[in-house]
Amino acid sequence: MGIRGSLARFASRYSRSVQEVSSPDETRLLEALRAGDEGAFRDLVQTYNASLLRVARIYVPTRALAEEVVSETWLAVLEGLDRFEGRSSLKTWIFRILANRAKTRAVRERRTLPFSAFQPERIQEPALDPDRFRDPDDPRWPGHWAVPPTAWPEDRLLAAETRERLAEAIEALPGTQRAVISLRDLEGWSAEEVCNALELSETNQRVLLHRARSRVRKALEEYLK
Amino acid sequence: MTTAEAFSCQELTELVTEYLEDALPPGERARFEQHLAECGNCEIYLEQIRATIALTGSLSPDELSPEAEEALLHAFRGWKSS
Ligand SMILES: [Zn+2]
């Protein structure tokens, strides 16, 4: 079985479909929540809590603060539930509440985000060390591989320890990159949903995803070589 | 297609995400695929990016601690009875 085939088994969640506007399922969920169905609330919390935490960590400096912001968000969701009109999806609404709370908290903590966090195209960050390639002026093979990648051994790629290293590499990313790669590749969100939740342009979302994936691939390469 | 128009390997590594997101204009997509068909190294690179994506998709999201979940359910019960 090829690497892609083996990974597909692990990654079935990757292709979950997602809805931007209020769906029939969501209408039922809202009714259950408004009727006080505890199980429905528990499901909602379990579905979004980890993602909320990742997004909050873009704005506030510590994990503890991010956890507070997420708790506040859930309370605000409960308070607003009866007034929610379903003009956006429930998910979009929840993440907007989070972004507002997190920004308010960031101001209180006097933390200003570097402009570059949301405007990544303003700085250069190559996917790979330029030394991996021949000179762009090379007479015969300009910009071709000088140190090419070598295929990864499948048994090591699928080992539990590799997944631990991968999780560490994601954790080590700058906050905005970490949020984008986690929401896209781990949680299976669409590009549009990530743009909405993080208030990013399409291009910037893609640049951040590109940098995050490039860095994580590099970390795996270093571990697997 | 002439060699002057072909992407270098370095350029290809910067375009992989646009390629996978289906965001390349048709002409560039064709040049990308042409390079890929002729370059085993870039094929390995793209395969590694795909493996990175699939492996990330296999990680489990952080679990909420039982204490945090209980605190939220407590708030929910309070909201329900208010
Ligand atoms: Zn190449």
Side-chain angles (χ1 to χ4, degrees):
Chain A
M1 184 162 35
I3 285 175
R4 237 186 286 174
S6 329
L7 287 169
R9 281 185 291 121
F10 290 106
S12 54
R13 287 184 308 108
Y14 182 58
S15 57
R16 272 180 309 190
S17 66
V18 274
Q19 289 274 340
E20 194 41 47
V21 285
S22 228
S23 64
D25 279 356
E26 203 165 72
T27 309
R28 272 196 296 280
L29 173 62
L30 266 173
E31 279 166 10
L33 289 169
R34 284 173 178 152
D37 181 339
E38 203 171 298
F41 185 65
R42 185 189 279 119
D43 286 351
L44 186 70
V45 167
Q46 279 171 350
T47 306
Y48 293 132
N49 202 74
S51 306
L52 287 169
L53 198 53
R54 285 195 189 89
V55 176
R57 287 178 64 200
I58 300 174
Y59 299 95
V60 296
T62 66
R63 191 184 165 98
L65 271 175
E67 282 171 0
E68 274 182 44
V69 169
V70 172
S71 301
E72 283 174 23
T73 300
W74 284 120
L75 298 181
V77 165
L78 288 179
E79 279 163 27
L81 209 50
D82 285 328
R83 291 189 306 276
F84 174 70
E85 291 174 329
R87 265 176 289 175
S88 65
S89 72
L90 188 61
K91 180 177 181 179
T92 301
W93 179 65
I94 294 171
F95 279 83
R96 266 185 214 140
I97 294 175
L98 175 88
N100 288 328
R101 297 261 151 180
K103 281 183 214 159
T104 307
R105 183 52 83 93
V107 171
R108 214 188 304 160
E109 303 293 325
R110 298 183 192 289
R111 180 177 193 244
T112 38
L113 276 170
F115 188 56
S116 59
F118 293 96
Q119 300 283 327
E121 80 279 15
R122 300 208 166 212
I123 12 167
Q124 293 290 316
E125 183 187 313
L128 283 154
D129 188 333
D131 291 350
R132 296 289 299 264
F133 301 98
R134 288 167 180 267
D135 201 85
D137 300 322
D138 188 281
R140 195 162 154 75
W141 302 109
H144 283 234
W145 291 99
V147 187
T150 49
W152 289 340
E154 187 175 350
D155 53 335
R156 286 194 62 206
L157 187 60
L158 297 174
E161 201 188 331
T162 304
R163 301 244 283 280
E164 280 166 33
R165 293 301 180 98
L166 172 74
E168 285 165 19
I170 292 172
E171 190 57 34
L173 293 170
T176 323
Q177 287 185 28
R178 184 174 54 227
V180 171
I181 197 173
S182 303
L183 296 176
R184 288 295 313 277
D185 293 345
L186 200 157
E187 304 281 350
W189 290 28
S190 70
E192 192 190 351
E193 288 177 310
V194 175
C195 290
N196 285 340
L198 304 186
E199 296 169 311
L200 290 168
S201 71
E202 222 179 291
T203 305
N204 287 346
Q205 189 269 151
R206 204 161 52 229
V207 170
L208 289 161
L209 181 65
H210 179 66
R211 292 195 181 155
R213 285 177 178 170
S214 302
R215 284 198 195 197
V216 172
R217 188 215 64 90
K218 189 172 153 206
L220 285 178
E221 179 178 60
E222 272 159 24
Y223 171 64
L224 292 168
K225 82 180 168 204
Chain B
M1 186 170 294
T2 66
T3 3
E5 289 176 327
F7 286 130
S8 71
C9 301
Q10 190 167 22
E11 285 167 327
L12 190 130
T13 61
E14 294 298 350
L15 292 172
V16 282
T17 308
E18 280 170 82
Y19 175 71
L20 294 172
E21 297 278 286
D22 216 357
L24 285 177
E28 287 191 27
R29 188 177 179 85
R31 284 161 71 197
F32 188 101
E33 283 171 345
Q34 167 133 5
H35 181 113
L36 216 54
E38 292 166 2
C39 181
N41 292 331
C42 283
E43 201 185 347
I44 291 175
Y45 186 82
L46 179 64
E47 199 56 31
Q48 290 181 350
I49 290 285
R50 285 199 167 113
T52 303
I53 296 166
L55 208 57
T56 303
S58 78
L59 296 176
S60 22
D62 296 342
E63 297 266 328
L64 191 60
S65 72
E67 299 79 37
E69 187 181 288
E70 196 38 56
L72 285 171
L73 290 175
H74 181 77
F76 185 72
R77 282 174 216 130
W79 168 79
K80 192 164 64 170
S81 59
S82 66

mmCIF file of all heavy atoms in Angstrom, chain A residues 143-145, chain B residues 7-10 12 35-36 38-43, ligand 1:
data_model
loop_
_atom_site.group_PDB
_atom_site.id
_atom_site.type_symbol
_atom_site.label_atom_id
_atom_site.label_comp_id
_atom_site.label_asym_id
_atom_site.label_seq_id
_atom_site.Cartn_x
_atom_site.Cartn_y
_atom_site.Cartn_z
ATOM 1 N N GLY A 143 18.132 27.377 -10.459
ATOM 2 C CA GLY A 143 17.031 27.131 -9.535
ATOM 3 C C GLY A 143 16.636 25.678 -9.381
ATOM 4 O O GLY A 143 15.605 25.379 -8.798
ATOM 5 N N HIS A 144 17.468 24.764 -9.918
ATOM 6 C CA HIS A 144 17.158 23.349 -9.734
ATOM 7 C C HIS A 144 17.749 22.843 -8.422
ATOM 8 O O HIS A 144 18.562 23.511 -7.803
ATOM 9 C CB HIS A 144 17.668 22.528 -10.930
ATOM 10 C CG HIS A 144 16.771 22.663 -12.128
ATOM 11 N ND1 HIS A 144 16.225 21.599 -12.789
ATOM 12 C CD2 HIS A 144 16.294 23.773 -12.745
ATOM 13 C CE1 HIS A 144 15.456 22.029 -13.781
ATOM 14 N NE2 HIS A 144 15.480 23.342 -13.773
ATOM 15 N N TRP A 145 17.303 21.683 -7.997
ATOM 16 C CA TRP A 145 17.742 21.155 -6.707
ATOM 17 C C TRP A 145 19.259 20.989 -6.648
ATOM 18 O O TRP A 145 19.846 20.395 -7.555
ATOM 19 C CB TRP A 145 17.109 19.786 -6.443
ATOM 20 C CG TRP A 145 15.643 19.824 -6.202
ATOM 21 C CD1 TRP A 145 14.654 19.562 -7.098
ATOM 22 C CD2 TRP A 145 14.990 20.138 -4.969
ATOM 23 N NE1 TRP A 145 13.416 19.702 -6.504
ATOM 24 C CE2 TRP A 145 13.594 20.054 -5.195
ATOM 25 C CE3 TRP A 145 15.436 20.496 -3.694
ATOM 26 C CZ2 TRP A 145 12.643 20.299 -4.193
ATOM 27 C CZ3 TRP A 145 14.502 20.735 -2.696
ATOM 28 C CH2 TRP A 145 13.121 20.643 -2.955
ATOM 29 N N PHE B 7 9.050 26.304 -15.098
ATOM 30 C CA PHE B 7 9.345 26.663 -13.708
ATOM 31 C C PHE B 7 10.630 25.986 -13.283
ATOM 32 O O PHE B 7 10.918 24.857 -13.680
ATOM 33 C CB PHE B 7 8.233 26.171 -12.784
ATOM 34 C CG PHE B 7 6.967 26.962 -12.879
ATOM 35 C CD1 PHE B 7 5.737 26.333 -13.052
ATOM 36 C CD2 PHE B 7 6.990 28.349 -12.775
ATOM 37 C CE1 PHE B 7 4.562 27.059 -13.124
ATOM 38 C CE2 PHE B 7 5.819 29.093 -12.837
ATOM 39 C CZ PHE B 7 4.613 28.444 -13.024
ATOM 40 N N SER B 8 11.395 26.657 -12.418
ATOM 41 C CA SER B 8 12.528 25.976 -11.790
ATOM 42 C C SER B 8 11.989 25.187 -10.599
ATOM 43 O O SER B 8 10.854 25.393 -10.162
ATOM 44 C CB SER B 8 13.561 27.003 -11.313
ATOM 45 O OG SER B 8 13.052 27.709 -10.194
ATOM 46 N N CYS B 9 12.836 24.299 -10.062
ATOM 47 C CA CYS B 9 12.423 23.507 -8.892
ATOM 48 C C CYS B 9 12.109 24.439 -7.719
ATOM 49 O O CYS B 9 11.155 24.232 -6.974
ATOM 50 C CB CYS B 9 13.521 22.529 -8.501
ATOM 51 S SG CYS B 9 13.966 21.379 -9.825
ATOM 52 N N GLN B 10 12.923 25.480 -7.565
ATOM 53 C CA GLN B 10 12.707 26.422 -6.465
ATOM 54 C C GLN B 10 11.337 27.102 -6.597
ATOM 55 O O GLN B 10 10.608 27.243 -5.619
ATOM 56 C CB GLN B 10 13.819 27.474 -6.459
ATOM 57 C CG GLN B 10 13.801 28.344 -5.208
ATOM 58 C CD GLN B 10 15.076 29.159 -5.044
ATOM 59 O OE1 GLN B 10 15.796 29.407 -6.009
ATOM 60 N NE2 GLN B 10 15.359 29.560 -3.812
ATOM 61 N N LEU B 12 8.784 25.922 -8.131
ATOM 62 C CA LEU B 12 7.748 24.906 -7.887
ATOM 63 C C LEU B 12 7.461 24.731 -6.394
ATOM 64 O O LEU B 12 6.301 24.652 -5.983
ATOM 65 C CB LEU B 12 8.164 23.577 -8.515
ATOM 66 C CG LEU B 12 7.036 22.544 -8.502
ATOM 67 C CD1 LEU B 12 6.831 21.930 -9.874
ATOM 68 C CD2 LEU B 12 7.278 21.485 -7.457
ATOM 69 N N HIS B 35 6.481 20.401 -15.388
ATOM 70 C CA HIS B 35 7.721 20.276 -14.602
ATOM 71 C C HIS B 35 7.694 18.983 -13.788
ATOM 72 O O HIS B 35 8.651 18.223 -13.764
ATOM 73 C CB HIS B 35 7.893 21.487 -13.683
ATOM 74 C CG HIS B 35 9.158 21.426 -12.862
ATOM 75 N ND1 HIS B 35 10.214 22.306 -13.037
ATOM 76 C CD2 HIS B 35 9.553 20.568 -11.880
ATOM 77 C CE1 HIS B 35 11.188 21.987 -12.193
ATOM 78 N NE2 HIS B 35 10.807 20.934 -11.467
ATOM 79 N N LEU B 36 6.565 18.757 -13.137
ATOM 80 C CA LEU B 36 6.405 17.589 -12.266
ATOM 81 C C LEU B 36 6.620 16.283 -13.024
ATOM 82 O O LEU B 36 7.249 15.342 -12.527
ATOM 83 C CB LEU B 36 4.988 17.618 -11.705
ATOM 84 C CG LEU B 36 4.771 17.137 -10.290
ATOM 85 C CD1 LEU B 36 5.691 17.860 -9.307
ATOM 86 C CD2 LEU B 36 3.316 17.370 -9.906
ATOM 87 N N GLU B 38 8.502 15.781 -15.416
ATOM 88 C CA GLU B 38 9.894 15.599 -15.846
ATOM 89 C C GLU B 38 10.881 15.612 -14.696
ATOM 90 O O GLU B 38 12.073 15.485 -14.894
ATOM 91 C CB GLU B 38 10.280 16.723 -16.832
ATOM 92 C CG GLU B 38 9.543 16.624 -18.154
ATOM 93 C CD GLU B 38 9.678 17.904 -18.975
ATOM 94 O OE1 GLU B 38 10.377 18.835 -18.536
ATOM 95 O OE2 GLU B 38 9.059 17.953 -20.047
ATOM 96 N N CYS B 39 10.404 15.844 -13.483
ATOM 97 C CA CYS B 39 11.337 16.042 -12.366
ATOM 98 C C CYS B 39 10.965 15.161 -11.179
ATOM 99 O O CYS B 39 10.030 15.450 -10.434
ATOM 100 C CB CYS B 39 11.358 17.515 -11.957
ATOM 101 S SG CYS B 39 12.507 17.858 -10.605
ATOM 102 N N GLY B 40 11.699 14.074 -11.008
ATOM 103 C CA GLY B 40 11.440 13.137 -9.918
ATOM 104 C C GLY B 40 11.620 13.773 -8.544
ATOM 105 O O GLY B 40 10.910 13.440 -7.596
ATOM 106 N N ASN B 41 12.569 14.713 -8.428
ATOM 107 C CA ASN B 41 12.805 15.353 -7.128
ATOM 108 C C ASN B 41 11.604 16.173 -6.687
ATOM 109 O O ASN B 41 11.198 16.129 -5.530
ATOM 110 C CB ASN B 41 14.048 16.247 -7.196
ATOM 111 C CG ASN B 41 15.323 15.442 -7.362
ATOM 112 O OD1 ASN B 41 15.398 14.295 -6.914
ATOM 113 N ND2 ASN B 41 16.316 16.028 -8.014
ATOM 114 N N CYS B 42 11.050 16.939 -7.628
ATOM 115 C CA CYS B 42 9.885 17.746 -7.273
ATOM 116 C C CYS B 42 8.665 16.858 -7.020
ATOM 117 O O CYS B 42 7.808 17.191 -6.202
ATOM 118 C CB CYS B 42 9.588 18.789 -8.351
ATOM 119 S SG CYS B 42 10.732 20.187 -8.258
ATOM 120 N N GLU B 43 8.612 15.728 -7.692
ATOM 121 C CA GLU B 43 7.526 14.782 -7.443
ATOM 122 C C GLU B 43 7.607 14.289 -5.988
ATOM 123 O O GLU B 43 6.595 14.209 -5.299
ATOM 124 C CB GLU B 43 7.669 13.611 -8.419
ATOM 125 C CG GLU B 43 6.397 12.838 -8.619
ATOM 126 C CD GLU B 43 6.615 11.615 -9.504
ATOM 127 O OE1 GLU B 43 7.675 11.501 -10.160
ATOM 128 O OE2 GLU B 43 5.708 10.772 -9.514
HETATM 129 ZN ZN ZN C 1 11.980 20.079 -10.139
#
